[in-house]
Amino acid sequence: MTILVTGGAGYIGSHAVQRLLRDGHRVVSLDNFFRGHARAMGLLGAKFPGKLESVVGDVTNRECVLEAIRTFGVTTVMHFAAHAYVGESVEQPLVYYHNNVTGLVSVLWACDQAGAGGKRVTRFVFSSSCSTYGQPPAGMIPVREDCPQAPVSPYGRTKLIGEQILRDYAESKRMAGTEFACTFLRYFNVCGCDRSGVLGEDHTPETHLIPVVLQAAMGQRPHVGLFGTDYPTPDGTCVRDYVHVEDLVDAHVRAMSTANAADVRAYNVGIGKGYSVRQIVDTVRAVTGREIKVVEQPRRAGDPPEVFNDPTKIKRELGWNPQVTDIREMIASAWKWFEANPRGYGA
Ligand SMILES: NC(=O)c1ccc[n+]([C@@H]2O[C@H](COP(=O)([O-])OP(=O)(O)OC[C@H]3O[C@@H](n4cnc5c(N)ncnc54)[C@H](O)[C@@H]3O)[C@@H](O)[C@H]2O)c1
């Protein structure tokens, strides 16, 4: 099968590319390298010679996407390409709506056009986010997929709009009797690195908690800010759910391979356990053996005290069974890559 992975040079996309290549698929990565890494593509190309096509292109350029789909006979799309910083989306909403919403419309247009004369894209997996839930109402944590979606940032809204566009597109295909199935995966906090040690997490700027704390452990940051220490949680800091990037990718593979024509499905992807910010810092200390300075700061607006997933639906329907459920193991896999690549892919 030939699979188009948009954003294939990014953190999660590159891990997906590696898993799909390992499974024997032909993979076309389409990335504009705005925040992706040519080096990740180079490493994967060398590891799986002749199996990976790395197209440098922008998903908002629909002709470019169409050409990639037609040239390589793509039948499945995993759409990761997006801008993904909540704060940046508040400052630059139009950039986010253009990249994330126009980008998705462009990819779907290309799928549609390609189907008119060649191989048809029949499976689509969309990177959605737990941020589509915003602040879940009291009594709805752990969060199930039927929790009301009320995002509180432009970023979260681009993901919710993306789900709505896909629902409408899938319905039009169903009415026309044309095969198309889509799955939205609403990720919780993705972490960890490829356990074979090739791929890692290298965002600039880095905003995700675990890499930020690891950077502090390596002396690349003077301290870690604890935003809010008086929440109604066991140690006063915010509690979040984490998922190892390879387990997340496994959810994509299951979504792709279990979909039936006309399916429109949504699943939360998080292990179903919450860890506090202090627990993450303490676990990084234990894993790295290094001291980390923390600076207590006021709460940030819009941070819910505690959010974690109810993984019942994805386990039941996709048979998803995360291999890494211990936060220490998640952090150890990230540390292994960070220690070997202190400058990330720039090393
Ligand atoms: N990392 C997380 O914890 C998390 C949580 C929820 C959802 N997500 C979603 O998962 C997806 C991947 O996230 P990530 O952490 O790997 O981010 P990332 O920034 O590492 O990867 C995104 C990739 O998409 C590429 N890209 C962006 N816009 C593009 C465009 N217009 N054309 C072509 N390529 C483009 C970037 O260059 C980058 O390689 C995103 O859709 C993000 O919103 C991530």
Side-chain angles (χ1 to χ4, degrees):
M1 198 192 306
T2 304
I3 300 160
L4 174 66
V5 177
T6 71
Y11 167 47
I12 303 168
S14 60
H15 285 80
V17 169
Q18 170 158 269
R19 165 69 191 267
L20 294 169
L21 290 169
R22 256 190 208 142
D23 288 356
H25 298 292
R26 189 170 183 219
V27 179
V28 182
S29 162
L30 192 145
D31 199 299
N32 62 5
F33 293 128
F34 177 63
R35 285 192 167 129
H37 300 280
R39 184 148 172 259
M41 292 292 93
L43 291 166
L44 290 174
K47 198 169 167 189
F48 300 93
K51 296 289 182 194
L52 170 63
E53 302 290 343
S54 173
V55 177
V56 183
D58 198 296
V59 291
T60 63
N61 177 348
R62 57 192 205 166
E63 298 294 344
C64 163
V65 185
L66 177 58
E67 192 184 329
I69 292 176
R70 278 207 175 129
T71 305
F72 300 108
V74 168
T75 54
T76 293
V77 174
M78 293 190 182
H79 183 52
F80 296 95
H83 292 335
Y85 293 124
V86 169
E88 192 177 68
S89 79
V90 174
E91 289 157 14
Q92 302 177 41
L94 300 185
V95 171
Y96 271 69
Y97 283 109
H98 177 66
N99 202 52
N100 296 5
V101 179
T102 310
L104 172 63
V105 173
S106 162
V107 173
L108 287 175
W109 178 89
C111 295
D112 215 51
Q113 291 296 307
K119 276 200 173 166
R120 190 169 286 288
V121 173
T122 57
R123 298 288 179 271
F124 200 102
V125 185
F126 175 60
S127 300
S128 188
S129 167
C130 68
S131 65
T132 60
Y133 295 115
Q135 173 135 16
M140 299 212 78
I141 298 168
V143 181
R144 289 199 321 244
E145 288 78 357
D146 57 2
C147 177
Q149 288 174 287
V152 294
S153 70
Y155 166 69
R157 281 188 278 277
T158 67
K159 294 294 180 182
L160 180 56
I161 292 168
E163 291 191 9
Q164 288 164 341
I165 289 169
L166 276 160
R167 283 185 200 281
D168 289 341
Y169 179 73
E171 174 62 9
S172 75
K173 295 288 108 183
R174 192 192 62 76
M175 288 190 310
T178 307
E179 185 173 353
F180 182 80
C182 62
T183 308
F184 322 135
L185 295 178
R186 299 178 187 149
Y187 316 163
F188 282 66
N189 297 272
V190 187
C191 69
C193 297
D194 159 30
R195 283 171 295 165
S196 75
V198 175
L199 302 173
E201 179 170 15
D202 181 2
H203 289 118
T204 306
E206 189 53 80
T207 59
H208 296 147
L209 180 63
I210 291 172
V212 162
V213 183
L214 287 172
Q215 287 174 349
M218 290 192 294
Q220 294 176 357
R221 291 174 187 260
H223 62 260
V224 174
L226 292 192
F227 296 99
T229 53
D230 58 351
Y231 285 102
T233 57
D235 67 19
T237 62
C238 288
V239 169
R240 296 288 180 267
D241 195 331
Y242 292 84
V243 57
H244 192 274
V245 64
E246 291 180 321
D247 285 323
L248 173 69
V249 166
D250 184 64
H252 287 71
V253 171
R254 288 170 187 274
M256 169 181 87
S257 54
T258 59
N260 294 310
D263 273 350
V264 177
R265 305 175 300 171
Y267 298 102
N268 291 343
V269 199
I271 58 167
K273 273 193 240 173
Y275 293 97
S276 74
V277 178
R278 277 196 209 279
Q279 281 177 305
I280 298 294
V281 173
D282 287 344
T283 310
V284 172
R285 284 189 179 117
V287 166
T288 64
R290 305 211 182 167
E291 193 34 58
I292 296 155
K293 187 176 174 205
V294 296
V295 175
E296 298 192 1
Q297 291 176 323
R299 294 181 180 193
R300 284 184 304 205
D303 267 350
E306 184 175 47
V307 184
F308 59 95
N309 180 34
D310 177 345
T312 305
K313 186 181 178 204
I314 188 167
K315 287 187 169 181
R316 188 183 61 232
E317 295 186 10
L318 298 190
W320 185 67
N321 180 25
Q323 298 304 295
V324 187
T325 54
D326 173 27
I327 196 69
R328 195 182 165 107
E329 198 184 329
M330 293 188 198
I331 290 173
S333 83
W335 177 235
K336 181 176 161 194
W337 191 80
F338 275 74
E339 213 181 7
N341 302 273
R343 291 170 189 273
Y345 286 112

